[in-house]
Amino acid sequence: MDRRSFLLSMGAGAIALPSISVGQDKYPAKPISYIVPVAAGGGSDYVARATTSEWGKGMGNATFVVENLGGGGGVIACQRTARASADGYTLMQGYVATLGTGPATRKVSYDPLKDFTPVGMIGGTPNVLVVDAKLPITTFAEFIDYFKRNNTSNYGSAGAGSLTHLLMELLKQDTGLQTQHIAYKGIAPAFQDLVGARTQAMFPGLAAAVPHLLSKTVRAIALTGNKRNARFPDIPTFEELGVKGFDDVLQWYGVSGPSGLKDDVVKTLNDSLNAVLIKPELEKRLQIEAILPMPMSPQEFGHYVQKDLERWKKVAQDQNIRLDA
């Protein structure tokens, strides 16, 4: 090779090097879109912003851009995520409604298992069985006795097909209660009628129940989950009371990406998420929504979602709950 050809070849190599370097940038090399299937301002939105704030720091000051896509019971957000490029730059904060109770009770335009790659669990808050504080009920045994003797009693929920609905139907199935369901458009009006004695019981998430428990307008009977809550240590779990099948029932939040997300990207995301979940800073912030951090591997989270979906499908089938029939 003559001198001129050699210099030209070196120049071409030098020009090519930057493009190779750019293609091999360490993930993440740009902001990550973090889709939340609810409008801004609620509990799910708070969980998303608290989590991504700490998560970004743990990933070397990576940028998460929270995008609220409410509407359609989470369908819009799930569709957007499922159709996104599987490059790790679009993630979704799925939760029990989008990947569990929703697909269990209605036809949705996505497959909650096949269309997503599990990244990791954030955590969960227990649900708490509550009654109108004016009722003569202080224990689970008294709750069962009262509702079996009062056939005109009813319970409220945050909406047909919601976790608050299916949980009570699961309890009815296990105990033989015949109380009637009244569906509301959200948890706030459901609480309003419970406190106003138009309904007698409800099964909300603990975070939603806290103000009413503190004001003593409702009385807690039992919690889902496998241990008592530190803030309300006097409330027993269903497991303690001998009622099986409620130890892993939670209002949970987790992270998923589109189907086909690469293993190394999933590992980076999962390792960094689990690392911040055990830090006091995030744990303290999640406590505001009564959420207990639950670090899991992607495989464990995927199994959890599958089991939860199967549980609510069975309840819906057994209790003949189908919202698009």
Side-chain angles (χ1 to χ4, degrees):
M1 180 183 293
D2 60 27
R3 183 172 182 273
R4 186 173 184 277
S5 299
F6 174 78
L7 290 175
L8 285 173
S9 66
M10 288 296 291
I15 292 170
L17 285 175
S19 64
I20 295 172
S21 175
V22 170
Q24 293 178 346
D25 279 347
K26 185 178 179 181
Y27 173 84
K30 62 181 182 179
I32 298 170
S33 176
Y34 191 83
I35 296 174
V36 184
V38 297
S44 295
D45 182 52
Y46 173 82
V47 172
R49 295 178 189 277
T51 301
T52 55
S53 173
E54 298 298 331
W55 195 1
K57 297 174 189 176
M59 292 181 72
N61 292 320
T63 300
F64 284 85
V65 179
V66 175
E67 183 179 0
N68 296 91
L69 280 180
V75 170
I76 296 173
C78 289
Q79 286 179 334
R80 171 80 69 84
T81 305
R83 295 170 182 171
S85 176
D87 56 7
Y89 291 101
T90 300
L91 302 175
M92 180 183 74
Q93 182 172 280
Y95 67 114
V96 62
T98 54
L99 301 179
T101 58
T105 56
R106 57 173 65 86
K107 185 178 181 180
V108 294
S109 54
Y110 60 90
D111 189 306
L113 302 179
K114 295 179 181 179
D115 288 346
F116 303 99
T117 300
V119 171
M121 176 74 91
I122 295 173
T125 182
N127 283 67
V128 55
L129 176 63
V130 296
V131 297
D132 177 2
K134 297 182 289 294
L135 294 176
I137 301 173
T138 58
T139 67
F140 185 66
E142 290 173 349
F143 168 82
I144 295 295
D145 180 66
Y146 179 89
F147 277 80
K148 284 189 174 181
R149 286 188 294 104
N150 293 272
N151 293 329
T152 59
S153 64
N154 50 50
Y155 77 93
S157 79
S162 67
L163 181 61
T164 55
H165 175 202
L166 297 187
L167 257 175
M168 189 67 86
E169 291 301 314
L170 177 61
L171 184 62
K172 286 171 59 177
Q173 187 173 290
D174 289 352
T175 59
L177 297 182
Q178 297 299 317
T179 180
Q180 297 300 306
H181 173 225
I182 299 178
Y184 293 84
K185 293 182 178 180
I187 201 69
F191 261 117
Q192 186 176 355
D193 271 12
L194 177 62
V195 173
R198 286 176 283 276
T199 60
Q200 286 72 52
M202 193 160 61
F203 224 144
L206 180 58
V210 166
H212 304 279
L213 293 172
L214 295 179
S215 66
K216 300 187 185 302
T217 53
V218 303
R219 183 177 297 118
I221 302 302
L223 280 171
T224 64
N226 56 18
K227 65 179 181 179
R228 296 195 181 201
N229 183 268
R231 189 173 182 183
F232 298 96
D234 294 334
I235 306 176
T237 65
F238 282 94
E239 189 77 9
E240 289 178 61
L241 298 172
V243 183
K244 303 299 182 182
F246 292 84
D247 58 316
D248 61 347
V249 176
L250 300 168
Q251 173 74 44
W252 57 263
Y253 303 89
V255 183
S256 299
S259 176
L261 214 54
K262 292 182 179 179
D263 291 344
D264 58 338
V265 171
V266 173
K267 185 177 187 330
T268 296
L269 289 167
N270 182 262
D271 287 350
S272 54
L273 174 61
N274 288 346
V276 299
L277 285 173
I278 62 174
K279 290 189 174 181
E281 296 87 349
L282 182 53
E283 184 175 6
K284 185 177 181 180
R285 295 179 71 175
L286 292 178
Q287 282 176 354
I288 294 175
E289 286 294 318
I291 291 172
L292 178 69
M294 298 168 59
M296 292 184 185
S297 69
Q299 294 75 22
E300 289 170 335
F301 177 51
H303 178 71
Y304 186 97
V305 172
Q306 181 178 6
K307 182 179 178 182
D308 207 49
L309 177 62
E310 290 172 353
R311 179 201 345 258
W312 301 126
K313 278 185 174 180
K314 185 176 188 309
V315 172
Q317 181 178 356
D318 291 348
Q319 300 300 94
N320 195 29
I321 300 169
R322 191 68 193 176
L323 303 184
D324 54 9

